[in-house]
Amino acid sequence: MKLHHSITAASGALLLALYTLNTQAEQVRMYDAPPSAEEMGKVLFGGQTNDTPGTMKMRSINFQPKRNERADDFATAERVEAEKTSIGLPIKFAYNSDEILPESLPFLEEVGKMMTMSDFADKRLIIEGHTDAVGSASYNLDLSRRRAQAVRNYLARNYGVSSNRLTTKGLGKSKPLPGRDPFDAVNRRVQFYSAN
């Protein structure tokens, strides 16, 4: 009987560790000034890079797994982390609208440049829209979807990025930035992930 409980407890601990590893592996790099196309490409498609001079990183939100005793466990954790790195940009839209405001165009210009660089010409991108917690869940979900789609349309129209390389998702207010008040305006953002 004691052996059964020990096995059950060990299995539960392993499942909890795997769940924690997956939830902690996401890293969101938020910017308050447009990062260069090269930097974004390296972060999204080629691993982490040092910040490019002149780029102001607003905050970097890291959920990193703790080092395990076994080196192969840590290497696996690092691979999971790299797979989930995203860039968050403060793309601004007109109030209650999916109309992109002019002050956001420098951010989108760098994304467009990145997607047309030869190093990244075969890469695919997930565009994820987020809102703050003001308003109903259904309204925010629809608004975030429309805003992600507006970003996709902008990149396709202005940079010739094929729409089959751009996937959109709207998450509404369901995924506020960790440690931030869900009503904080910083949650109104567009995140970009590698889809490769």
Side-chain angles (χ1 to χ4, degrees), residues 2 7 13 26 32 48 58 65-66 75 80-81 91 94-95 99 124 126 137 142 156 177 181-184 196:
K2 286 187 177 187
I7 291 172
E26 183 177 353
D32 64 356
Q48 295 295 330
M58 183 169 72
K66 294 179 179 158
V80 170
E81 178 183 346
I91 306 298
Y95 182 70
E99 177 191 343
R124 294 178 300 122
I126 298 170
D142 178 63
L177 290 168
D181 182 335
F183 292 91
D184 192 328
N196 290 54

Side-chain angles (χ1 to χ4, degrees), residues 44-45 108 111-116 120-128 148-169 190-196:
L44 293 172
F45 306 121
L108 293 180
V111 175
K113 287 178 193 174
M114 174 192 67
M115 294 302 287
T116 58
F120 311 119
D122 64 337
K123 302 300 185 186
R124 294 178 300 122
L125 201 60
I126 298 170
I127 304 166
E128 203 175 74
Q149 186 66 43
V151 168
R152 177 185 183 187
N153 294 343
Y154 179 87
L155 294 172
R157 182 176 57 248
N158 293 288
Y159 290 90
V161 181
S162 173
S163 60
N164 66 354
R165 294 177 58 208
L166 303 170
T167 302
T168 60
K169 292 168 65 173
V190 177
Q191 280 181 227
F192 298 87
Y193 293 86
S194 168
N196 290 54

